[in-house]
Amino acid sequence: MTTPLFPPPSAPLVPIAGSTQAFPVHRIYCVGRNYEDHAKEMGFTGREPPFFFMKPADAVLVASGDTPTPLPYPTLTENLHHEVELVVAIGKGGSNIPAAEAMKHVYGYAVGLDMTRRDLQNAMKKDGRPWCIGKGFDASAPIGAIVPAAEAGNVAQAGISLTVNGETRQNSTVGKLIWSIAETIEHLSRAWALQPGDLIYTGTPEGVGAVVRGDVLEARIDGLPPVHLRVA
């Protein structure tokens, strides 16, 4: 019988709104360029096939209180960008899930941010290398409390916004997703077997931009608990 060399890490936990239970995170999947106007501001156009990248599960930074949660400014970058996103929490796993069945696999929803070391990401793009260093760093996936799907209202048409120091930077609706929640799950589950505990960051609308130490961010999606952050 073998024993671990050191205690294995426990799964990161995200609070569930109105519950004493928490959501254990298995994997974090992210959808790239899933709003048309954001794709344009990044130099792309059209409804391209969806593509995905990942963040480590322990990149989550729970920010579910009224007081801004400290967001550590990461190393190696001088261009840290905010990207507000709807996060889909998977409660039932599966592979090759058809879009018509996809919503049965959703446990709930949360507000999240895909924080990005844009200068490092752009350098990797230029050299044709993976984006991991630009996307998958510590605390790069802030998230608020998860609301069960039955209590979240009409998330598919909800307003989504982000302010920095009270100034609106991003303001759109989830209805402008290029690939819907169901379509995203369909495509994603062809490449990976989805598991309970997976989080899907579904993409960001236009208006992404840099933040610096001391900035206060407020990310909102109608019907979900907001996320408050202070860059430290």
Side-chain angles (χ1 to χ4, degrees):
M1 180 178 179
T2 58
T3 58
L5 178 62
F6 49 82
S10 56
L13 299 176
V14 178
I16 297 171
S19 174
T20 57
Q21 293 184 309
F23 186 90
V25 179
H26 177 245
R27 292 177 179 169
I28 300 175
Y29 299 99
C30 303
V31 187
R33 298 196 294 265
N34 203 19
Y35 286 80
E36 183 177 358
D37 287 342
H38 173 60
K40 289 178 179 177
E41 73 180 354
M42 300 302 292
F44 298 87
T45 60
R47 192 178 194 249
E48 60 186 324
F51 70 93
F52 307 98
F53 58 93
M54 298 178 72
K55 293 175 182 275
D58 61 3
V60 295
L61 173 67
V62 174
S64 59
D66 294 330
T67 302
T69 298
L71 170 67
Y73 196 96
T75 60
L76 302 179
T77 185
E78 296 181 356
N79 194 19
L80 177 66
H81 275 212
H82 58 75
E83 299 188 8
V84 61
E85 311 208 358
L86 172 68
V87 181
V88 176
I90 296 296
K92 176 185 174 184
S95 298
N96 296 310
I97 301 167
E101 300 292 323
M103 304 311 289
K104 296 178 182 178
H105 294 257
V106 175
Y107 172 77
Y109 303 97
V111 178
L113 287 93
D114 167 17
M115 301 304 297
T116 302
R117 294 194 277 205
R118 190 72 72 199
D119 45 358
L120 299 186
Q121 182 196 29
N122 288 342
M124 295 301 105
K125 285 182 180 180
K126 182 179 178 181
D127 293 337
R129 295 175 177 175
W131 298 358
C132 302
I133 196 170
K135 289 287 192 176
F137 52 92
D138 295 341
S140 61
I143 189 171
I146 294 170
V147 176
E151 303 169 15
N154 187 14
V155 169
Q157 297 298 325
I160 179 171
S161 64
L162 181 136
T163 64
V164 178
N165 302 325
E167 177 186 348
T168 299
R169 293 274 191 91
Q170 296 183 263
N171 189 24
S172 188
T173 68
V174 176
K176 292 185 178 181
L177 283 171
I178 295 173
W179 296 95
S180 71
I181 296 166
E183 290 171 328
T184 294
I185 291 172
E186 179 179 60
H187 283 277
L188 189 62
S189 68
R190 292 174 182 168
W192 292 273
L194 295 182
Q195 300 291 333
D198 288 342
L199 298 175
I200 304 172
Y201 281 60
T202 58
T204 194
E206 72 277 8
V208 302
V211 292
V212 298
R213 289 180 176 86
D215 281 349
V216 175
L217 287 68
E218 183 174 330
R220 290 186 174 273
I221 295 174
D222 295 343
L224 304 178
V227 167
H228 299 96
L229 299 166
R230 181 184 297 274
V231 184

